[in-house]
Amino acid sequence: MERREVAAVLAYIGRLDPRTIRADPGEARDQLAQWHELLHDVPFATDYGWDVREAIRAHVLDSPYPILPVDVARAWRTYRRDRIDRHTDPAPAADPDDPTAWRAELLGTRQAVAIGTAAPSTHRQLTNGGPHPDVEARVRAIGSCVPPTIRAALAPYRPARAAREAAVAAGLPDSLGVGCPWCHAREGEPCRSRRVGPDGRARGNAPRTTPHPTRLDLAAAEITRQGAA
């Protein structure tokens, strides 16, 4: 800020907090010099969210103590740090074989973001806007996020899922949509082969590619119940 801008800031502070007003001309001159020394690199306002008057109002509302120039300078540094933390360096347009020009453009972009003359580049920021329209169109076209050719190639490596998908495609009940009362497999998990040994204990725990008949019956009954409801 220039001296006239600092003078306008002091006048604004005086209206909000009369304790800061200096009636003596010499004290007012010293106050202006002190504030200008500490705030000469702090802008009055920027196009992207910074306004020194907002920082002053926040301090007057939150603190019982008169505002000092360091309070404004610290608020500006917090603002700069937040903008840099939200910024992702875009690839410079300069020739990468010219490291001097490439670095100068990179640093220039960072400086513009830091001082508030440019918006942070947040192209890598996570959003909750949902999938891109192109993705939705492709999913509608193939019916799934996994293309049929990839699904067929994966079938030998996940036989239980392949059997489940084949059953659903054939109009049969989704057996993995319910738990298995025989092997106690939970919903979504394949059935397990359980054999009873001579001592009466269960033997074996290998996953089955096909569900137990009782699980199929339970899935069919669940579908019937939902249809009746």
Side-chain angles (χ1 to χ4, degrees):
M1 285 185 283
E2 300 177 357
R3 289 181 66 88
R4 58 181 181 81
E5 293 176 321
V6 175
V9 167
L10 289 173
Y12 179 74
I13 295 173
R15 289 198 300 271
L16 300 182
D17 186 359
R19 294 175 299 175
T20 62
I21 297 176
R22 300 293 183 266
D24 182 77
E27 292 182 358
R29 193 164 43 248
D30 293 341
Q31 183 188 40
L32 177 61
Q34 179 195 31
W35 279 70
H36 182 255
E37 176 67 23
L38 292 174
L39 303 182
H40 69 277
D41 58 344
V42 176
F44 188 88
T46 69
D47 296 332
Y48 298 98
W50 167 260
D51 191 319
V52 68
R53 292 166 295 186
E54 293 298 327
I56 293 168
R57 288 185 69 255
H59 179 90
V60 172
L61 292 173
D62 297 337
S63 175
Y65 302 103
I67 190 171
L68 299 174
V70 293
D71 296 323
V72 178
R74 288 168 183 164
W76 166 246
R77 290 190 176 187
T78 300
Y79 169 85
R80 284 179 48 135
R81 184 164 54 249
D82 175 70
R83 291 177 62 79
I84 291 297
D85 289 343
R86 292 187 289 112
H87 176 66
T88 301
D89 291 320
D95 186 356
D97 293 331
D98 186 352
T100 302
W102 197 91
R103 184 174 183 273
E105 182 178 344
L106 185 66
L107 294 179
T109 302
R110 290 181 183 177
Q111 179 66 12
V113 171
I115 64 177
T117 58
S121 176
T122 56
H123 65 277
R124 295 181 188 175
Q125 186 176 19
L126 295 177
T127 63
N128 60 354
H132 192 274
D134 291 346
V135 176
E136 294 181 345
R138 292 181 183 181
V139 171
R140 285 195 301 269
I142 63 178
S144 171
C145 295
V146 181
T149 55
I150 303 300
R151 190 184 302 278
L154 292 175
Y157 303 98
R158 48 180 191 178
R161 184 179 182 88
R164 180 186 189 186
E165 292 172 350
V168 173
L172 299 176
D174 181 9
S175 59
L176 269 65
V178 295
C180 181
W182 173 256
C183 66
H184 305 295
R186 292 181 296 182
E187 180 179 341
E189 295 181 353
C191 287
R192 299 278 178 172
S193 296
R194 298 178 60 193
R195 299 186 304 275
V196 179
D199 57 355
R201 296 182 180 180
R203 303 293 185 185
N205 198 34
R208 293 167 51 100
T209 57
T210 57
H212 287 108
T214 54
R215 192 174 195 178
L216 287 172
D217 294 342
L218 183 61
E222 183 67 19
I223 291 179
T224 303
R225 186 188 65 81
Q226 292 177 358

